[in-house]
Amino acid sequence: MTTYHVEPVDDLIEHDTSGQEDCVCGPRSRPEKTDDGSVNWIVVHNSLDGRELSEEAR
Ligand SMILES: [Zn+2]
């Protein structure tokens, strides 16, 4: 099983991509079946910098 991490680009924090759901942003993981029948684990990270808000504030 392979774990893939999806994280926000240029986020303010370092995302911990060493484990599953082991990051401060509280990522959510889900299994994703590939064409050859194996299962990959997708860990989706959340942006912590409040991107939309900070862009408003600038
Ligand atoms: Zn993260």
Side-chain angles (χ1 to χ4, degrees):
M1 190 166 73
T2 308
T3 302
Y4 292 99
H5 288 265
V6 179
E7 52 186 305
V9 179
D10 292 333
D11 203 5
L12 292 179
I13 63 160
E14 288 266 334
H15 288 272
D16 186 351
T17 57
S18 61
Q20 290 184 8
E21 302 186 341
D22 205 19
C23 184
V24 291
C25 73
R28 286 186 298 180
S29 57
R30 56 180 167 84
E32 185 175 87
K33 212 168 192 179
T34 61
D35 291 340
D36 63 8
S38 62
V39 176
N40 292 326
W41 203 249
I42 311 294
V43 181
V44 181
H45 291 258
N46 301 298
S47 171
L48 274 196
D49 61 4
R51 188 158 302 164
E52 296 81 8
L53 292 175
S54 61
E55 284 179 0
E56 288 266 326
R58 265 181 216 137

